[in-house]
Each structure stands twice: as structure tokens, then as C-alpha cells.
Amino acid sequence: MLALGFFDGVHLGHQELINLAKRIAIQQDLKLAVMTFFPHPKQIIGNDQTPHTYITPLEQKAKIMQDLGVETLIVVNFDSAFAHLSPSGFIEDYLCGFKCKHAVAGFDFRYGHKGEGNMETLKIEGKRFFKVTEMNKFEIDHEKVSFTMLRNLIADGRFADIPSCLGTYFESQGTINFKDNQHVLVTLSEAFLTPPPGVYLIEIQNEGNVHEGIAYQTMDRSFQESWHLHFNDSLPLEGKKIHIKWKSGSIKKSKRMTFMRAKSIAKVQAF
């Protein structure tokens, strides 16, 4: 059983697709695998060579997939050669190459050079080798849940709206540059989408304890863009990395705070 997609965000629509594939896998006594792609196709196909940012970078995506019950994660290297692969070549080299018995994808899944392959061609060309199940559009309040929707919510700092389509709060990772009792200065990982300037309610977990506070962005003396985190209690943080949950839209900023905008082969992993 092979679920197909890019799965950035692994939002509720993605989760429904993987759960659909899981149910079929159980019924047909197949192992559940997911095929995804890295890096983002726009980084290869487009002219912008700037490293792409993600809602869920690959390492985090793999962890979520494992939690959803995926047994094998196939990460296809999306390079120029793969981008120019014909739809038939994708089916023969990848789906058949991985001995796919049943493929599941969303109604708008595209594959092959310039996205020439779609679900109809997958059903027609693949029927000699495997079965195909198409998942219908997944909507909430008559709006399609998509990674574009999530990226827009993050870009607008509307974090309180994200759990309704992601199933949880948006998270990012930071490197601690300074720590003093209730104050932490961090640089956010450039792999994650970066929140816009503002003041946000946040949450971190440390040694099983949940700490709530606020985050705001400023420019330090070395002219590096950093985020300040303030908490009501002292934080005995261990290590240099922390995961931050962004829980609210921007709240009213303090007059003392100044803000600057932040910068904004297949590999198989068996769990």
C-alpha cells in the first residue's frame, strides 16, 4: 500500500488520506508506506534557488508519519532528472520499482514532467500493475484544506486558526542564544516557515512540563534577527534546541518593543 503526496504540514486532509490508505492496507494485508518528495519541487522547477521553508521539514514530517502508523517512508529526491521524468517513467521506475500493490492519492495529485500525469492517467496506466484509490477533496466549512491555506495562515500570523485544519498548533524549532531565568533569546530554524513580526502567545515543553509565555522579534546588537521569549516562571532548559508552539494571533505590542521582519536516488526510511 503506497500513499502518494508531498504532505507539507501533514494537515487533516493528509491525515485522512493516510488513514484511508491504512484501512485499505489492513483489509488487503499490505504494509503501509508513504512516498513523498524532497526538496520542494518549486526549488528545482522555478528560478528561485533560495532554500525552501516548510511547515513540517523532513525530519518532523517523518516523526508525524511514524505516529500515524506509517511503516515505511520513501523520500524521493526531487532533482532535475526526476522533474523531467515522463508519467509512464514515474509509474514504471518508482511505483512498480517499489512493488506497489495499491496506490492512494488525492484527487488533485499530479506526477511526471510538467505534471502531465493525474489521477485518471494513473488509473489507466497503472491498472496493469496495481489498484488505485482516489480520495475526494477534503473540506472544512466548504473550503479545501491545503498546505497553501496553512502557509497563508502562518504568513498572516493567524496561529489560533491553525488547529482547525492542522489538528494541532504550528510548531517551529529554535536555537538558544541566551537564557536568563524567564527570558530566552532564540534564532528560529530557517527550515521552518517564520512567523511575521508581532507578539504571540507560545508554549514550550521541557522535561514533561509545559511553559506558556510570549514571543516577540527584535534585532540584536550583532544585527542578527532573533526572537525573545518571556515566561512567567524560571526555565531550567537543557540543551540548545527547543520546540515552540505558536498559539495565538499577534497580540497588542508593547511600546518598548521594536520589530524587524525575519527572513522569511530515493531514500527509504523504515520505522
Side-chain angles (χ1 to χ4, degrees), residues 139-173:
E139 296 180 318
I140 294 178
D141 294 331
H142 307 291
E143 185 175 3
K144 177 190 172 185
V145 176
S146 65
F147 82 95
T148 301
M149 171 197 287
L150 282 171
R151 291 180 74 91
N152 289 339
L153 289 174
I154 294 168
D156 293 339
R158 295 171 54 193
F159 296 113
D161 297 329
I162 286 179
S164 63
C165 54
L166 187 60
T168 185
Y169 289 104
F170 171 67
E171 292 189 36
S172 60
Q173 181 175 287

Side-chain angles (χ1 to χ4, degrees), residues 121-138:
T121 60
L122 185 63
K123 293 172 185 176
I124 294 170
E125 295 185 32
K127 65 181 179 181
R128 294 179 296 150
F129 311 108
F130 47 79
K131 296 179 180 179
V132 176
T133 295
E134 175 182 336
M135 193 184 92
N136 295 329
K137 180 163 55 176
F138 185 87

Side-chain angles (χ1 to χ4, degrees), residues 20-53:
L20 172 61
K22 186 176 182 179
R23 292 193 295 271
I24 296 173
I26 292 172
Q27 292 170 0
Q28 300 182 4
D29 194 25
L30 299 171
K31 288 188 175 182
L32 175 60
V34 165
M35 179 181 287
T36 189
F37 312 94
F38 185 86
H40 194 284
K42 288 183 179 179
Q43 192 170 332
I44 304 301
I45 297 173
N47 296 322
D48 185 6
Q49 297 302 308
T50 303
H52 198 80
T53 54

